[in-house]
Amino acid sequence: MNLIKSLLTLIGAIVVIAVIIGAIVMGPKISKLDKQALPEYMKMFDTVLTTGDPAKGMIRKVKMVIPEGMSKEEAFENAIEIMDEVGSEYGLAMVDNKTMPRDGKLFKDGGLLTHIRSYCSPGIADKFLSHSSEFIGFMPCRIGFVEEPNGDIYLYTMGLELMINGGHTLPEEMLKLANEVKEGMYTMMEKGAKGEDD
């Protein structure tokens, strides 16, 4: 029994020392991060630990509603129209779109829907690339439609919180622009999924 107590005490002491060393080594680096960085990383890690899927920790997902009296095809076209209209309100132009076959068939031919739309504001993109060329990895912003085998359709986009708040605090103008893009993308997605532009 005394051996077990001694081992637990030793383990506890090692953990405390590790935490102190970690705080000393990492503290100055962490203090330079945006105040939202750690909470956003923790949300991502919690999702990854819960699901085991890193993609789920980085993606925002909304279920599409099929308005009464519309077919899936009509609801999809309606969602695209709404998203493009809302995007233009936020200065986000549709710059590319791809429809991909699933099991060798396109949606219009009876296959499952898989469609990706890309949006960008060239002026905002230029400011971010001037700040850090690595931002190219986030461009253009994308919203994807994926139909599940049960017929449910979901809209997906990359969560933009870590891009905006995951490092050092962005300069004020860039932070404002980044939050406008985030609001635009999330609004497009929400309104497109609901099938209502109001």
Side-chain angles (χ1 to χ4, degrees), residues 20 35 48 82 86 120 128-129 134 148 152 158 164:
I20 291 169
K35 65 183 178 180
V48 173
I82 290 168
V86 173
C120 193
F128 273 82
L129 291 174
E134 283 72 19
E148 301 293 328
D152 291 341
M158 180 181 284
I164 296 170

Side-chain angles (χ1 to χ4, degrees), residues 76-128:
F76 168 61
E77 294 296 335
N78 183 52
I80 285 175
E81 188 176 320
I82 290 168
M83 284 170 32
D84 289 352
E85 287 174 9
V86 173
S88 68
E89 292 169 16
Y90 284 88
L92 296 168
M94 195 278 292
V95 293
D96 193 22
N97 70 92
K98 298 274 188 270
T99 300
M100 299 183 300
R102 299 261 296 278
D103 295 327
K105 290 192 291 187
L106 291 168
F107 182 52
K108 65 183 181 182
D109 299 321
L112 296 174
L113 172 64
T114 307
H115 182 80
I116 301 168
R117 296 182 78 71
S118 300
Y119 296 86
C120 193
S121 166
I124 294 174
D126 186 52
K127 284 182 171 57
F128 273 82

Side-chain angles (χ1 to χ4, degrees), residues 2-190:
N2 286 336
L3 178 62
I4 293 173
K5 283 183 182 178
S6 297
L7 282 173
L8 290 175
T9 302
L10 178 62
I11 291 169
I14 291 170
V15 169
V16 169
I17 291 168
V19 168
I20 291 169
I21 291 170
I24 291 168
V25 172
M26 297 300 292
K29 292 179 181 179
I30 290 173
S31 68
K32 293 178 183 177
L33 293 177
D34 185 280
K35 65 183 178 180
Q36 290 299 314
L38 286 179
E40 292 299 338
Y41 281 115
M42 292 310 296
K43 273 195 254 180
M44 183 185 80
F45 289 141
D46 183 54
T47 302
V48 173
L49 289 172
T50 301
T51 65
D53 185 344
K56 285 183 169 61
M58 296 182 266
I59 294 294
R60 181 180 172 87
K61 172 182 177 180
V62 179
K63 185 175 180 181
M64 190 168 103
V65 175
I66 310 295
E68 192 174 340
M70 277 193 189
S71 67
K72 269 195 251 187
E73 291 82 356
E74 290 168 333
F76 168 61
E77 294 296 335
N78 183 52
I80 285 175
E81 188 176 320
I82 290 168
M83 284 170 32
D84 289 352
E85 287 174 9
V86 173
S88 68
E89 292 169 16
Y90 284 88
L92 296 168
M94 195 278 292
V95 293
D96 193 22
N97 70 92
K98 298 274 188 270
T99 300
M100 299 183 300
R102 299 261 296 278
D103 295 327
K105 290 192 291 187
L106 291 168
F107 182 52
K108 65 183 181 182
D109 299 321
L112 296 174
L113 172 64
T114 307
H115 182 80
I116 301 168
R117 296 182 78 71
S118 300
Y119 296 86
C120 193
S121 166
I124 294 174
D126 186 52
K127 284 182 171 57
F128 273 82
L129 291 174
S130 296
H131 176 75
S132 170
S133 297
E134 283 72 19
F135 274 110
I136 194 70
F138 296 97
M139 297 175 190
C141 296
R142 290 175 294 280
I143 297 177
F145 292 77
V146 178
E147 184 179 6
E148 301 293 328
N150 68 2
D152 291 341
I153 298 172
Y154 289 89
L155 281 71
Y156 294 83
T157 196
M158 180 181 284
L160 297 174
E161 289 77 10
L162 286 176
M163 184 200 77
I164 296 170
N165 306 110
H168 294 180
T169 302
L170 291 171
E172 190 174 339
E173 182 192 11
M174 288 183 64
L175 186 61
K176 179 176 180 290
L177 292 171
N179 280 313
E180 286 174 8
V181 169
K182 179 179 81 169
E183 181 183 347
M185 290 298 292
Y186 290 1
T187 302
M188 290 163 63
M189 194 172 162
E190 296 286 341

